[in-house]
Amino acid sequence: MAIVTFVVSLAFFLMDVKYAFLLGLITGLFNIIPCSRILTALILSAAITFATAAVTSEVLLAIIPRVIAHLIDSNVLLSVIVGSKVRTNAFMTVPGVVIGEMIGSVPGMFLSIAVIAVLKNILDLWKACNLGHYTWR
């Protein structure tokens, strides 16, 4: 949440959008909500930007960093942070989250990390019990 708030606030500040920190904070706070986080933050921030902007093109400029930050947060940061807590490799977690998102949307993303962790534990147990070594006789 803090990373998303910082990145979006910085992007809005560099784009000279009014209330940059407030809009970044709204995005960071709505990042906690699992299913509608990006949509709710987009609608609320676009309405605030539309009400305070002199040009309506600033509304589109306010949407772009938020979508980019959401994509990076959902696909990269979530994989790395949660993967480190579950002790899985980020190289396996990132594609797993992307595949889980393609199969089951947001719930698929969260479940994909659990599935990867279970498979990792099964394979580690398999290796520890030496079940992976089989010779033909």
Side-chain angles (χ1 to χ4, degrees):
M1 183 175 82
I3 294 170
V4 171
T5 300
F6 176 75
V7 168
V8 171
S9 296
L10 181 66
F12 286 158
F13 179 74
L14 293 175
M15 292 171 38
D16 199 30
V17 174
K18 287 184 181 180
Y19 309 114
F21 181 71
L22 176 68
L23 295 175
L25 187 62
I26 288 171
T27 304
L29 289 174
F30 278 107
N31 199 27
I32 296 172
I33 303 170
C35 293
S36 63
R37 61 185 175 190
I38 186 69
L39 182 64
T40 308
L42 275 175
I43 291 171
L44 188 59
S45 297
I48 292 171
T49 306
F50 184 71
T52 60
V55 183
T56 56
S57 64
E58 283 187 32
V59 176
L60 291 175
L61 290 177
I63 291 173
I64 293 170
R66 191 166 291 106
V67 170
I68 291 171
H70 172 71
L71 290 174
I72 292 171
D73 175 51
S74 294
N75 294 322
V76 178
L77 290 178
L78 180 74
S79 303
V80 172
I81 293 171
V82 174
S84 69
K85 296 296 179 192
V86 182
R87 292 193 175 110
T88 59
N89 188 357
F91 183 71
M92 294 305 299
T93 313
V94 172
V97 168
V98 172
I99 292 169
E101 192 267 333
M102 290 190 307
I103 292 172
S105 189
V106 175
M109 287 173 27
F110 289 113
L111 288 175
S112 67
I113 295 187
V115 169
I116 291 170
V118 168
L119 288 175
K120 180 192 176 291
N121 287 337
I122 289 172
L123 292 175
D124 285 345
L125 182 63
W126 183 311
K127 184 178 177 183
C129 293
N130 201 14
L131 296 175
H133 180 70
Y134 182 78
T135 58
W136 290 93
R137 293 180 187 216

